[in-house]
Amino acid sequence: MTSQNHATPSAPSLSWLEIDAGAYQHNLAEFRRLIGPDRKLMAVVKANAYGHGLEKIAPLALRFGADRLGVNSLNEALELLALELSAPIHLLGPIPMQALPAAAGLPLEFTLSTFESLQALARGAGKSGIRPQCHIKVETGCHRQGFMPEEIPSVARFFADHSELQWSGLSTHFANIEDTTDHTYARRQIEIFHKVERDLHALGIQPLLRHTACSAATIVMPETHLDMVRLGIATYGLWPSRETLVSARSGGSERLPLRPVLTWKTQVAQIKTVPAQSFIGYGCTFRTTHPTRLAILPVGYADGYDRRLSGVGHVLVRGRRAPVLGRVCMNMFMVDLTDIEGAAVGDEAVLLGKQGDEEISAQDLASLCQTIVYEIVTRIGGHLDRRVCGL
Ligand SMILES: *Cc1c(COP(=O)(O)O)cnc(C)c1O
C-alpha cells in the first residue's frame, strides 16, 4: 500500500464510466438495418462522443460499420486526426475564420454556410494543393447555420469559379423533430430541401451527397434518409426524447430495440449513522426524521452529476434505490442507505444505468433536471475514466 500515491494525476478516478461496446455495436447494427447497406452512416462523436469518450468511441464506431465520423469543432477534428483512423472526418460546426485557410490543408470534410468561409477555405486550398471537400448547408427552417435557399445559385457560381474546392455535399438540419409528434414542420423543411436540389439539377450540378437526418429523423421519417444519415444520441442507446419514442411506436414502425451504452459508477466512500433531527449537507435543506444510515459518494456537480438532483435523485446500491439526501456538493453527495441491508464502504453505486433489476435511465435524470438526455450525458466530466467492456 505504501507504494501507492493516490494524489498523482494517474490515480484512478473516484467515479468512472463503463462503456458497453456490445451495446454500441448492437445499436449501430440496428441503424444499418434501418437504412440499408448503400446509404452512408455518419457516427456523430462531438462533445466527447456525447460524454462517452471520443478516443474510446471513435475506433469502435468504424469497427462496427460507421462510414465516417462527425464532430462539431476543428479541435475535435484534430483530436480524431491524431488517432490516425482511416475514415473521413466531417466537421459539422463553424470553424474560426482565421483558422480556415490552414484547415484547408487537412484531410477533413467541411460544413460551409457563408461566402466568407468559402473564400477563406479557397485561399488556403490554393496554397496547400489539397482539394477540400465542401458540404453546403441549406437553411430550411432551423435558422441556425445555412445559406438561404435563394443564395444557392450564387454558391454554385462560386464553385464554378473555384476549382480548388470540391463540392461534395448538400445538407440541412431539422428544427422541430425531437420536441413533437407532429412532423409538419419537418416535412416543410424537407420540401424546401428538395426544391433546392431541383434548382441545382436545372443548373446541371452533379449529384451531391445529400444528408438531412439526425437520430430522430432517421427513426421517424424514412424519407429523410437520402444518401447519408448523421447519428448521434440514438447510437448511444438513448431515445432523443419521449416524443420520438411515442412517434416510433404509434407510427407502426417496428420497434427499435436500443441498448444504453454507458453506465456511470462510483464507490461508497464512507458510511455513518446519524440520529433523528440531523441536517444533511449545505444549506441544511434536509433533516432526518429517524436514525439514518448515510453513504457519502465521492462525486458531485463538478463531475457532471447535476445539482438539480439535490433531494430528488436516486442512485443504486446492491440493486436498490438510495435517495439523494440534501444538496449535491461540488465533489460529493449523500444518499440514504437505511433500508439497504448489508451495504458497506467500497460498494459500487450506480449513478446512471442498471444494477440488478433496477435502472436509472438518462431520461429519468433528464426529467428530474427538466432537461434532455443530451445534456445529461454530454456534461459528464471529461476527466473521469471511461472503461470499455463487453468486447
Ligand atoms: C449533433 C448533430 C447531429 C446528431 O444529432 P442526434 O440527434 O444526436 O442524432 C446531426 N446533425 C447535425 C448537424 C448535428 O449537429
Side-chain angles (χ1 to χ4, degrees):
M1 283 308 282
T2 49
S3 67
Q4 269 188 316
N5 181 358
H6 291 283
T8 61
S10 59
S13 53
L14 288 166
S15 82
W16 66 96
L17 279 65
E18 291 176 6
I19 302 301
D20 183 345
Y24 189 54
Q25 178 173 27
H26 163 89
N27 299 332
L28 285 172
E30 285 295 322
F31 279 104
R32 175 56 71 191
R33 188 176 57 75
L34 197 66
I35 66 171
D38 299 327
R39 286 195 178 87
K40 293 201 187 306
L41 192 162
M42 176 198 296
V44 181
V45 294
K46 64 191 178 189
N48 200 22
Y50 289 58
H52 293 62
L54 180 66
E55 288 184 11
K56 301 282 165 66
I57 289 289
L60 293 177
L62 301 179
R63 181 164 158 195
F64 301 149
D67 298 297
R68 65 175 62 194
L69 299 169
V71 290
N72 175 63
S73 70
L74 184 55
N75 279 334
E76 291 171 332
L78 293 173
E79 272 183 66
L80 280 182
L81 283 176
L83 298 179
E84 299 186 347
L85 306 166
S86 57
I89 298 169
H90 194 124
L91 263 158
L92 296 167
I95 300 169
M97 202 56 81
Q98 65 276 25
L100 259 172
L106 298 170
L108 300 172
E109 309 227 353
F110 299 92
T111 300
L112 294 145
S113 51
T114 66
F115 286 108
E116 291 76 12
S117 56
L118 274 173
Q119 276 149 3
L121 198 65
R123 275 201 302 282
K127 288 192 194 114
S128 78
I130 287 190
R131 211 161 165 230
Q133 309 270 313
C134 303
H135 295 255
I136 292 297
K137 193 149 193 183
V138 192
E139 185 51 77
T140 58
C142 189
H143 299 121
R144 192 171 73 171
Q145 268 172 308
F147 284 100
M148 297 306 280
E150 53 275 18
E151 291 179 297
I152 299 296
S154 308
V155 171
R157 279 195 295 281
F158 186 92
F159 278 105
D161 294 342
H162 291 85
S163 59
E164 64 274 29
L165 298 181
Q166 169 80 42
W167 192 357
S168 314
L170 190 70
S171 69
T172 197
H173 193 56
F174 294 108
N176 197 20
I177 197 143
E178 293 91 2
D179 295 277
T180 173
T181 55
D182 174 359
H183 298 124
T184 313
Y185 196 80
R187 276 194 293 275
R188 220 164 71 210
Q189 284 189 264
I190 196 87
E191 273 167 31
I192 295 170
F193 188 81
H194 285 315
K195 163 110 180 25
V196 170
E197 249 186 274
R198 284 194 301 276
D199 292 349
L200 285 176
H201 198 75
L203 293 171
I205 306 293
Q206 296 301 314
L208 301 163
L209 192 74
R210 303 159 307 153
H211 48 103
T212 67
C214 56
S215 295
T218 303
I219 295 168
V220 303
M221 289 180 68
E223 68 269 36
T224 63
H225 294 179
L226 306 182
D227 303 319
M228 175 164 77
V229 296
R230 308 184 302 252
L231 300 173
I233 196 78
T235 63
Y236 304 102
L238 305 176
W239 283 82
S241 65
R242 289 193 162 127
E243 287 81 356
T244 307
L245 184 57
V246 169
S247 295
R249 287 187 178 159
S250 68
S253 68
E254 129 197 38
R255 259 195 84 187
L256 192 63
L258 297 176
R259 283 169 49 188
V261 170
L262 172 162
T263 304
W264 185 6
K265 293 183 176 177
T266 188
Q267 276 179 323
V268 173
Q270 185 180 353
I271 293 182
K272 61 174 69 163
T273 299
V274 299
Q277 310 301 327
S278 303
F279 290 109
I280 312 291
Y282 287 131
C284 296
T285 57
F286 182 83
R287 194 172 197 185
T288 58
T289 56
H290 50 76
T292 300
R293 206 159 166 256
L294 296 177
I296 289 90
L297 301 181
V299 45
Y301 59 77
D303 304 297
Y305 194 78
D306 202 295
R307 191 165 174 277
R308 289 169 289 187
L309 295 166
S310 297
V312 296
H314 290 88
V315 305
L316 305 177
V317 177
R318 302 211 168 198
R320 299 181 57 194
R321 283 182 177 250
V324 176
L325 296 184
R327 290 210 178 128
V328 173
C329 319
M330 187 184 293
N331 300 109
M332 288 175 240
F333 67 98
M334 283 66 90
V335 297
D336 187 350
L337 293 182
T338 309
D339 297 329
I340 305 179
E341 247 167 67
V345 169
D347 275 4
E348 266 185 19
V350 168
L351 311 173
L352 168 54
K354 280 190 184 151
Q355 193 187 54
D357 298 330
E358 268 286 9
E359 177 172 13
I360 293 172
S361 71
Q363 183 62 58
D364 293 338
L365 298 183
S367 299
L368 289 171
C369 296
Q370 299 185 42
T371 185
I372 53 179
V373 289
Y374 296 76
E375 189 183 357
I376 295 295
V377 290
T378 57
R379 292 179 70 184
I380 300 175
H383 58 289
L384 304 178
D385 292 339
R386 269 90 176 150
R387 303 173 186 165
V388 176
C389 52
L391 269 180

